[in-house]
Amino acid sequence: MRTPLVAGNWKMNGTQASVAELMQGITQGAGNIDGADVLVCPSFVFLSQVRTVTDGTSVALGAQDLYAEEGGAFTGEISGSMLADAGCEYVIVGHSERRALTGDSDSLVAAKFSAAQKVGLTPILCVGESLEERKSDTTLAVIGRQFSTVADAVGIEAFRNAVVAYEPVWAIGTGETATPDQAQEVHSALRGMAAKRSAKIAADLRLLYGGSVKAANAADLFSMADIDGGLIGGASLDTNEFLSICEAATG
Ligand code: PGA
């Protein structure tokens, strides 16, 4: 059985004051969420602050990215071991904003995935097609390339301790959500790609949907057979919205 996961990706948002308020609400509400895992991924500078609140609660802590090297002269970068030391259990890799804005290639994403696992972090690998790619009917080819580059590099066994998030680029932050059927089609294809390598690992692999998930559409998306929760951007900054989405994942 796959336990659903709802992960808040706060992106480059927040102040110490807003984070304190948000976390107070989330940790209180998450105590009543039974049957879904809850994760928050703040900006690096808030990790320690958030950890003091999540420690001893059911809310897990994650980061939004890491550098692929273990340490050394890499000014401005943050390693997986620093994230593990800061209390993170998860880290997002290959988010489309990083692929587009900071040039994270498929092979760099694979290196980050591997670096995360080396220090015991669970990577959340993001894949997703652009609007042009969807229009030109290359969605599954793009997803296939993004997934296979990582699976070829790390081996399917590595997906025992990983999560994959399907996030169509055209649905991120746009208010436009993939329909449950559109999302399910890609999720089912993704699970099929993993199953070609290992049926057992594919059956246990958590596949999240991301892209304008809100309280109003979460239950319909999460009711689909291969959608095991969500990666939530904008709506994760609102305590009530986020908690409603977590509740929807409990089925
Ligand atoms: P959104 O972002 O929910 O604001 O669309 C999702 C994401 O980028 O992870």
Side-chain angles (χ1 to χ4, degrees), residues 9 11 95 97 167 171-174 210-213 231-235:
N9 171 13
K11 309 193 180 184
H95 191 281
E97 283 150 18
E167 298 205 305
I172 295 178
T174 57
S212 297
V213 178
L231 182 55
I232 320 299

Side-chain angles (χ1 to χ4, degrees), residues 23-34 58-59 239 243 246-247:
M23 283 314 298
Q24 193 188 10
I26 290 176
T27 45
Q28 262 174 20
N32 303 320
I33 304 289
D34 198 11
S58 58
V59 180
T239 308
L243 288 171
C246 294
E247 189 59 48

Side-chain angles (χ1 to χ4, degrees), residues 5 41 43 51 84 90-91 105 113 123 143 165 169 181 215-216 241:
L5 170 67
C41 300
S43 163
R51 183 193 193 173
Y90 293 84
V91 61
S105 63
F113 185 107
I143 307 290
V169 177
D181 287 334
E241 274 283 313

